[in-house]
Amino acid sequence: MAAHFGRRLRKGAATTAVAAAAVAALSASQAPGVTADDQGRQTSSDATPSPEETAGGGSATGNSPYYTDLPPLNSPNPSPGTGSGQTTPGAAEAGIPATVLDAYKKAEAALREKKPGCNLPWQLLAAIGKVESGQARGGRVSADGTTLSPILGPQLDGNGFATIKDTDNGAYDGNSTYDHAVGPMQFIPSTWEWAGRDGNGDGREDPNNIYDAALSAGHYLCRFGWDLSDQRDLDRAILSYNNSTEYLNTVLSWLEYYRKGSHEIPDGTGTLPEDRSDDTTVRPSPSTPGTSSPKPGPKPGKPAGSSPSPKPTKPGTGSPSTPPPPTTTPTPTDTVDHLEDAGTAPLTAMAGDAFTQRISTRAETDAGKAVAKVRIRFTIVGDTDTTFTGGENVATVVTNSTGVAVAPALQAGERTGAFAVQATVVGRTIPGVAYKATVTERAADTLVRTSDKALTCTPGGEFAEPVEARATYNGAAADKVAATATLIKSADDPTANDKGPYFKDADGKAIRTLSGLTTDANGLLKLPQLYADDTAGTFLLRITTAGGATLTVELTVAAAETTSPSPSPSPSETSGT
């Protein structure tokens, strides 16, 4: 790691030690409990999200390589003494191509409206865009934001990287054998399949378009209710994009740099980073005896659009044209023979409620042995508006040490009925497991009047107050529950009466059945005004709700009582005899 940072911090002999100390301090403050992942990258066990928290199998990019250049140590703002026509190195690095900058700011505005609790700053998108693609290769994009040429990461074939076999039939990356990270924000196709958004309003979700890619990255970073103004959630979100502590620290460095200042530059004029996380070239260190120190000052970026120069190979590695020997060690994904249900309980929930059950799937070999570190994709299928927590209909989770992947919790929408969740292995075509789920209509199990006052009326008059009832389910207010109110003939005959009390429709005509009623957010149901015809007697109003709760209310229609005058006293009574 020290050698790696030394390569990245080649800013000049005078600044190298200072920069290294700054990065070391950042690493110490942001990355407690550092461990190594499958590809040898360092990860933070304290900050890494759990499989249940991480859609996308641990990263949006498939943990693809990224640019490791760090920002200059000087301020991104031009110094007061800078003359006309001169630009400080910090100011040059702070320049962001106009279309790219516009895409980041539009994505921030969209997320501020859609997910205000996320507190996504556009500078975070700029930091990730810098590290992933050098701001779309210095802003080489068309007027609508599409890159002038594809930006592809290396083939994810296990040769120094993760193994991710083709998931898109080459639709995005042109490779029908293995996947590549694609576009200015470097999404792998399997993540783009569910995370892709249309950011420029052209009706397409294109990972090669900076507007689409920036909006998609914003939504990806804002899932799981993360609040990016909280450092722990910010770390989790960045690590979910690329699961490496060095990546986290690099993005945080650029985030802080852009927050101090940035400015717009013309498209295509941005400087390109040079060092990458997969760069194994050995360069002489400034402190190595017999070597000359680099000139002071920041390392210039490559001109936009230039091609990288061939780099020398390590001593003893043979001709540059000799490919490395292919790896024959099977990946965990290669060993999976089938998926099994890992004890998922029946999946049912009322509309608007969270499912209390979670889907569990186990990956096994043909001998029935559990397989860890396999990406399982859960996809909601069918006519439903149910989603996973966070609002997505696809989530990818890595199996744990027992081979089990637990899907995020399901959140029922308002559409009732059956649907399914399909579990499949990412990168394999073996049969998956389908889980049936059902959303039932909102229901109430109790319905009571909110008042015990008798409801009376004179013939031809109107009742003094409307009928109001409260619906509950398991003791809690039952909101948005459908209800029907009918003035029935008798307790044994629930058909609508043809006389006695009535409601009025929009035209003022008498009606004795009201359907389409709904309880409010507090479970209250307030009926319209009741009127009486000329028929006296005792009548019944019956209210029923979805779920079977019933309330019968007694209504009395009677003539007003008259008070008779007291009889006059007799003469004898008045005389006192």
Side-chain angles (χ1 to χ4, degrees), residues 21-34:
V23 173
L26 179 60
S27 299
S29 64
Q30 297 295 340
V34 174

PDB file of all heavy atoms in Angstrom, residues 21-34:
ATOM      1  N   ALA A  21       1.546  11.878   4.280  1.00  0.00           N
ATOM      2  CA  ALA A  21       1.060  12.024   5.657  1.00  0.00           C
ATOM      3  C   ALA A  21      -0.414  12.328   5.679  1.00  0.00           C
ATOM      4  O   ALA A  21      -1.158  11.814   6.520  1.00  0.00           O
ATOM      5  CB  ALA A  21       1.843  13.136   6.368  1.00  0.00           C
ATOM      6  N   ALA A  22      -0.887  13.152   4.717  1.00  0.00           N
ATOM      7  CA  ALA A  22      -2.309  13.488   4.670  1.00  0.00           C
ATOM      8  C   ALA A  22      -3.142  12.268   4.373  1.00  0.00           C
ATOM      9  O   ALA A  22      -4.186  12.039   4.984  1.00  0.00           O
ATOM     10  CB  ALA A  22      -2.554  14.570   3.614  1.00  0.00           C
ATOM     11  N   VAL A  23      -2.676  11.457   3.415  1.00  0.00           N
ATOM     12  CA  VAL A  23      -3.434  10.256   3.073  1.00  0.00           C
ATOM     13  C   VAL A  23      -3.416   9.270   4.217  1.00  0.00           C
ATOM     14  O   VAL A  23      -4.409   8.609   4.524  1.00  0.00           O
ATOM     15  CB  VAL A  23      -2.870   9.614   1.787  1.00  0.00           C
ATOM     16  CG1 VAL A  23      -3.545   8.282   1.534  1.00  0.00           C
ATOM     17  CG2 VAL A  23      -3.081  10.551   0.619  1.00  0.00           C
ATOM     18  N   ALA A  24      -2.285   9.133   4.888  1.00  0.00           N
ATOM     19  CA  ALA A  24      -2.213   8.214   6.029  1.00  0.00           C
ATOM     20  C   ALA A  24      -3.178   8.630   7.114  1.00  0.00           C
ATOM     21  O   ALA A  24      -3.864   7.800   7.719  1.00  0.00           O
ATOM     22  CB  ALA A  24      -0.787   8.176   6.572  1.00  0.00           C
ATOM     23  N   ALA A  25      -3.278   9.934   7.359  1.00  0.00           N
ATOM     24  CA  ALA A  25      -4.213  10.418   8.377  1.00  0.00           C
ATOM     25  C   ALA A  25      -5.636  10.137   7.974  1.00  0.00           C
ATOM     26  O   ALA A  25      -6.474   9.736   8.783  1.00  0.00           O
ATOM     27  CB  ALA A  25      -4.005  11.914   8.596  1.00  0.00           C
ATOM     28  N   LEU A  26      -5.937  10.336   6.683  1.00  0.00           N
ATOM     29  CA  LEU A  26      -7.293  10.062   6.197  1.00  0.00           C
ATOM     30  C   LEU A  26      -7.621   8.592   6.315  1.00  0.00           C
ATOM     31  O   LEU A  26      -8.702   8.205   6.736  1.00  0.00           O
ATOM     32  CB  LEU A  26      -7.416  10.513   4.739  1.00  0.00           C
ATOM     33  CG  LEU A  26      -8.769  10.282   4.057  1.00  0.00           C
ATOM     34  CD1 LEU A  26      -9.855  11.051   4.823  1.00  0.00           C
ATOM     35  CD2 LEU A  26      -8.726  10.724   2.620  1.00  0.00           C
ATOM     36  N   SER A  27      -6.643   7.738   5.965  1.00  0.00           N
ATOM     37  CA  SER A  27      -6.881   6.300   6.064  1.00  0.00           C
ATOM     38  C   SER A  27      -7.144   5.896   7.502  1.00  0.00           C
ATOM     39  O   SER A  27      -8.009   5.082   7.787  1.00  0.00           O
ATOM     40  CB  SER A  27      -5.658   5.533   5.521  1.00  0.00           C
ATOM     41  OG  SER A  27      -5.427   5.850   4.168  1.00  0.00           O
ATOM     42  N   ALA A  28      -6.384   6.468   8.419  1.00  0.00           N
ATOM     43  CA  ALA A  28      -6.553   6.102   9.824  1.00  0.00           C
ATOM     44  C   ALA A  28      -7.893   6.534  10.355  1.00  0.00           C
ATOM     45  O   ALA A  28      -8.516   5.844  11.147  1.00  0.00           O
ATOM     46  CB  ALA A  28      -5.434   6.734  10.649  1.00  0.00           C
ATOM     47  N   SER A  29      -8.392   7.689   9.886  1.00  0.00           N
ATOM     48  CA  SER A  29      -9.655   8.203  10.420  1.00  0.00           C
ATOM     49  C   SER A  29     -10.855   7.571   9.772  1.00  0.00           C
ATOM     50  O   SER A  29     -11.921   7.514  10.353  1.00  0.00           O
ATOM     51  CB  SER A  29      -9.720   9.721  10.213  1.00  0.00           C
ATOM     52  OG  SER A  29      -9.737  10.029   8.837  1.00  0.00           O
ATOM     53  N   GLN A  30     -10.706   7.070   8.537  1.00  0.00           N
ATOM     54  CA  GLN A  30     -11.876   6.577   7.815  1.00  0.00           C
ATOM     55  C   GLN A  30     -11.939   5.064   7.733  1.00  0.00           C
ATOM     56  O   GLN A  30     -12.963   4.534   7.364  1.00  0.00           O
ATOM     57  CB  GLN A  30     -11.864   7.132   6.371  1.00  0.00           C
ATOM     58  CG  GLN A  30     -11.956   8.629   6.279  1.00  0.00           C
ATOM     59  CD  GLN A  30     -13.280   9.152   6.782  1.00  0.00           C
ATOM     60  OE1 GLN A  30     -14.250   8.411   6.862  1.00  0.00           O
ATOM     61  NE2 GLN A  30     -13.343  10.404   7.135  1.00  0.00           N
ATOM     62  N   ALA A  31     -10.880   4.362   8.024  1.00  0.00           N
ATOM     63  CA  ALA A  31     -10.865   2.944   7.704  1.00  0.00           C
ATOM     64  C   ALA A  31     -10.379   2.080   8.846  1.00  0.00           C
ATOM     65  O   ALA A  31      -9.339   1.453   8.766  1.00  0.00           O
ATOM     66  CB  ALA A  31      -9.995   2.716   6.473  1.00  0.00           C
ATOM     67  N   PRO A  32     -11.140   2.016   9.946  1.00  0.00           N
ATOM     68  CA  PRO A  32     -10.740   1.117  11.024  1.00  0.00           C
ATOM     69  C   PRO A  32     -10.959  -0.326  10.635  1.00  0.00           C
ATOM     70  O   PRO A  32     -11.869  -0.642   9.888  1.00  0.00           O
ATOM     71  CB  PRO A  32     -11.671   1.535  12.170  1.00  0.00           C
ATOM     72  CG  PRO A  32     -12.863   2.088  11.481  1.00  0.00           C
ATOM     73  CD  PRO A  32     -12.349   2.755  10.240  1.00  0.00           C
ATOM     74  N   GLY A  33     -10.131  -1.228  11.140  1.00  0.00           N
ATOM     75  CA  GLY A  33     -10.330  -2.650  10.906  1.00  0.00           C
ATOM     76  C   GLY A  33     -10.116  -3.041   9.470  1.00  0.00           C
ATOM     77  O   GLY A  33     -10.964  -3.652   8.846  1.00  0.00           O
ATOM     78  N   VAL A  34      -8.980  -2.700   8.864  1.00  0.00           N
ATOM     79  CA  VAL A  34      -8.756  -2.973   7.451  1.00  0.00           C
ATOM     80  C   VAL A  34      -8.452  -4.443   7.246  1.00  0.00           C
ATOM     81  O   VAL A  34      -7.647  -5.039   7.952  1.00  0.00           O
ATOM     82  CB  VAL A  34      -7.600  -2.103   6.921  1.00  0.00           C
ATOM     83  CG1 VAL A  34      -7.259  -2.476   5.499  1.00  0.00           C
ATOM     84  CG2 VAL A  34      -7.986  -0.636   7.007  1.00  0.00           C
TER      85      VAL A  34
END
